[in-house]
Amino acid sequence: MKYVVVTSRCPVSHDRTGGREILRRNVGGVVTALHQAMKTNGGVWICWGDGNADVNYPVEQYDGYTVARIFLNRYEKHGFYDEYSNGTLWPLFHYFRERVRYLDESFETYRAVNGKFAEAVKKHTDPDSVIWIHDYQLSLVPELARKLGITNFMIFTWHIPWVSSEFFNILPQAKELVDSITQADMITFHTELYRKNFRESCERISPPEFNVDDRTSAFSLGIDSDYYSKIEETANPLENLQKNGKVIFSIDRLDYTKGLINRALSVERVLKKYPETRGRLHYVMMVTPSRTSVSEYLKMKRDLETEIGRINGSHGDIRWQPIIYMYGKVSDRVLLSYYRYADIALITPVMDGLNLVSKEFVAASRHGILILSEFAGAAFNLPQALIVNPNDINAMADSIYSAMNMEPGEIDRRLEAMKTSVTRRNLKWWIEVIEKRARALMSNGKVISAHGH
Ligand code: GDG
């Protein structure tokens, strides 16, 4: 299929630092997955050029496809990205009611910016393109593009949770969102639960002609399993720590949805409840900077670091600190070596659409055990993990302790079962099932666009 992909973030950005310009590949689940699809099929990728030298590259060829950028001024960026996307929709769709901001003005800016994306879709769409729009930042693009006369087959993929219909209805613009998203011919979610919640939201407010059962699907995004499992041998960066005890590892964007403080508290609980683990538990917590222009994210960093300092100060000594905290980005190579050798991965978001880190760990790990939140979409794919409630500090501590003491045979049995599922339902599978479903919808005519595919 020839796609016009539409995402908020670009696959690559141009940055000028110290007189030198560099081309930076953006990391993140959505961008990495779509890059694979575009590399194979070609097509156009419309995105927001937020690199400080991107204005010099409104349209460029990259790895077999075209990147077409839209640009935002400071005011647009603030209203669209900081305020409505990350201050209203992000907390709402992760059940953080008290954090949801209600600003009419930011919604207007969000709508205007979605309009810019829709204009770009019109500009770059051929009659035979399939338009594939992604995620909560672009929920109004389907309707705005239809209003501009775009009749092409349109897929919308929602990457974060879809909340229950009662909760969704607290959003003043609930109807606008659903009315727009249902202008797509096919809508995909990561889990059946999100699909069901969406269906119920539609039943409350959407136009009756939309047949939700036909046009929605639950396909959990997969990873490039070969990339994670077949990477060349590297030295074990954890070897020294493992001479004396077990290494627990995690990597997350700094975000309140990730439950980072609860995780640190659960490690502290292990030390208090099971004193024999003192000196033998090493929690390597990597945190990646995120949304640094949003002030509450800066406060979150301070709060997390204060808590980690307190725990290390109360329990550590001159030879040992229970939490080894690192803030910053690491290369794929470094990340893979941690995945490969860590004894335990502790992935316990309080709410997460899917969570690719858990799948990447499974693919790369040699003998590791995964502790995974029941509120990560990936928990539906990985039932052999130790599944925990991230709000239950005591239960998390017990899971950590049992992971530290698990028989090697059981670790390997669980890991093998998870590896099989991650390999079967990998990225290639995800792209194929979406294409297959799209073709089926096109051929039986159950589409809004009905334009002769
Ligand atoms: C949305 C949803 C859903 C992170 N730090 C570094 C690094 N990463 C890579 C990881 C992983 C990706 O970023 C993060 O994966 P997430 O699953 O958290 O995805 P997001 O894009 O943040 O979020 C989420 C996802 O969409 C996909 O639908 O799973 O629920 O919120 O691939 O490896 N990679 C490297 N260095 C880092 O420092 N190399």
Side-chain angles (χ1 to χ4, degrees):
M1 270 181 186
K2 198 171 147 230
Y3 293 115
V4 172
V5 156
V6 196
T7 61
S8 167
R9 169 108 333 136
C10 286
V12 278
S13 305
H14 297 269
D15 279 324
R16 175 169 282 281
T17 35
R20 243 183 85 235
E21 203 175 286
I22 52 158
L23 182 66
R24 174 169 52 82
R25 262 197 76 173
N26 289 320
V27 293
V30 179
V31 165
T32 308
L34 295 171
H35 174 73
Q36 295 299 330
M38 293 300 276
K39 223 166 70 172
T40 321
N41 297 308
V44 182
W45 188 326
I46 296 166
C47 50
W48 161 36
D50 64 341
N52 64 14
D54 275 346
V55 279
N56 302 323
Y57 306 89
V59 178
E60 72 176 323
Q61 294 307 311
Y62 177 72
D63 223 357
Y65 56 90
T66 305
V67 178
R69 296 187 169 87
I70 65 143
F71 299 105
L72 306 180
N73 63 32
R74 239 202 269 154
Y75 174 79
E76 288 170 322
K77 179 202 171 253
H78 184 68
F80 159 72
Y81 183 74
D82 298 340
E83 285 294 343
Y84 198 73
S85 296
N86 292 324
T88 301
L89 297 182
W90 180 263
L92 177 95
F93 281 105
H94 291 83
Y95 290 102
F96 279 82
R97 185 179 191 139
E98 73 288 359
R99 286 184 186 260
V100 177
R101 287 200 291 270
Y102 302 96
L103 300 166
D104 295 347
E105 209 181 308
S106 69
F107 180 65
E108 290 312 318
T109 312
Y110 175 87
R111 194 211 308 271
V113 170
N114 272 233
K116 281 194 165 186
F117 279 95
E119 294 279 357
V121 169
K122 187 171 167 63
K123 184 167 166 195
H124 292 283
T125 296
D126 295 333
D128 59 342
S129 320
V130 167
I131 298 163
W132 192 0
I133 303 162
H134 293 263
D135 228 1
Y136 65 102
Q137 301 93 344
L138 304 180
S139 65
L140 300 182
V141 175
E143 184 164 46
L144 294 169
R146 293 288 187 224
K147 281 193 175 142
L148 292 173
I150 302 284
T151 56
N152 296 54
F153 190 86
M154 205 182 266
I155 307 172
F156 195 104
T157 292
W158 189 261
H159 288 268
I160 61 176
W162 192 281
V163 286
S164 73
S165 61
E166 292 88 334
F167 199 84
F168 176 59
N169 263 21
I170 70 174
L171 181 70
Q173 299 84 17
K175 182 163 164 51
E176 278 100 324
L177 256 71
V178 161
D179 283 350
S180 172
I181 294 168
T182 52
Q183 290 294 309
D185 298 291
M186 171 177 161
I187 304 158
T188 84
F189 298 91
H190 287 319
T191 72
E192 277 297 341
L193 173 65
Y194 308 153
R195 180 182 180 218
K196 171 182 148 296
N197 288 342
F198 180 74
R199 182 193 305 123
E200 287 168 6
S201 297
C202 287
E203 278 161 9
R204 283 191 171 201
I205 48 183
S206 101
E209 71 270 18
F210 182 83
N211 183 334
V212 188
D213 287 329
D214 276 346
R215 304 227 319 264
T216 57
S217 311
F219 299 129
S220 163
L221 174 57
I223 58 159
D224 181 352
S225 46
D226 279 354
Y227 177 73
Y228 288 95
S229 57
K230 295 190 179 146
I231 200 129
E232 65 192 76
E233 284 298 311
T234 48
N236 177 1
L238 308 173
E239 200 177 355
N240 270 338
L241 296 173
Q242 284 168 328
K243 282 183 186 145
N244 188 16
K246 301 271 181 175
V247 171
I248 304 169
F249 173 68
S250 68
I251 181 162
D252 303 85
R253 279 188 308 103
L254 180 64
D255 199 293
Y256 50 83
T257 60
K258 300 293 183 183
L260 294 168
I261 290 186
N262 276 8
R263 253 184 252 185
L265 292 175
S266 70
V267 163
E268 180 181 38
R269 186 68 61 88
V270 178
L271 302 173
K272 284 182 173 165
K273 200 168 167 184
Y274 305 103
E276 74 274 22
T277 58
R278 287 168 186 270
R280 300 189 42 76
L281 176 163
H282 313 279
Y283 177 22
V284 177
M285 181 194 256
M286 280 190 176
V287 176
T288 312
S290 179
R291 302 176 191 169
T292 42
S293 58
V294 183
S295 61
E296 64 189 304
Y297 280 70
L298 298 174
K299 177 173 181 305
M300 224 174 343
K301 179 170 185 282
R302 279 197 305 275
D303 291 347
L304 174 67
E305 290 173 358
T306 304
E307 203 56 38
I308 291 170
R310 183 192 63 72
I311 294 170
N312 278 342
S314 324
H315 301 277
D317 58 31
I318 198 141
R319 283 157 299 144
W320 166 75
Q321 298 280 288
I323 304 180
I324 301 163
Y325 167 73
M326 289 179 265
Y327 179 75
K329 284 195 174 152
V330 291
S331 68
D332 270 16
R333 200 183 157 78
V334 169
L335 178 55
L336 274 152
S337 66
Y338 283 90
Y339 282 157
R340 175 176 289 203
Y341 293 109
D343 299 290
I344 298 164
L346 186 60
I347 314 291
T348 55
V350 286
M351 192 53 62
D352 209 337
L354 183 70
N355 193 286
L356 291 165
V357 167
S358 55
K359 294 191 177 186
E360 292 164 3
F361 169 74
V362 163
S365 173
R366 291 193 151 176
H367 302 292
I369 180 90
L370 173 64
I371 301 178
L372 181 60
S373 162
E374 65 180 278
F375 303 119
F380 291 93
N381 310 119
L382 302 170
Q384 299 85 0
L386 296 181
I387 304 289
V388 294
N389 178 341
N391 304 304
D392 189 340
I393 308 285
N394 202 44
M396 279 205 284
D398 289 345
S399 286
I400 294 171
Y401 184 72
S402 74
M404 289 177 76
N405 293 291
M406 195 175 273
E407 288 294 318
E410 183 172 354
I411 294 175
D412 289 347
R413 261 193 308 281
R414 287 173 182 262
L415 186 61
E416 278 317 305
M418 290 192 282
K419 277 185 189 287
T420 305
S421 105
V422 165
T423 310
R424 266 200 205 134
R425 303 209 150 190
N426 61 10
L427 180 55
K428 193 162 164 278
W429 166 86
W430 187 73
I431 292 166
E432 281 170 7
V433 284
I434 288 182
E435 288 202 4
K436 198 169 156 208
R437 182 83 192 119
R439 285 187 201 286
L441 285 170
M442 284 175 196
S443 65
N444 72 13
K446 283 184 174 166
V447 292
I448 283 200
S449 36
H451 46 80
H453 274 278

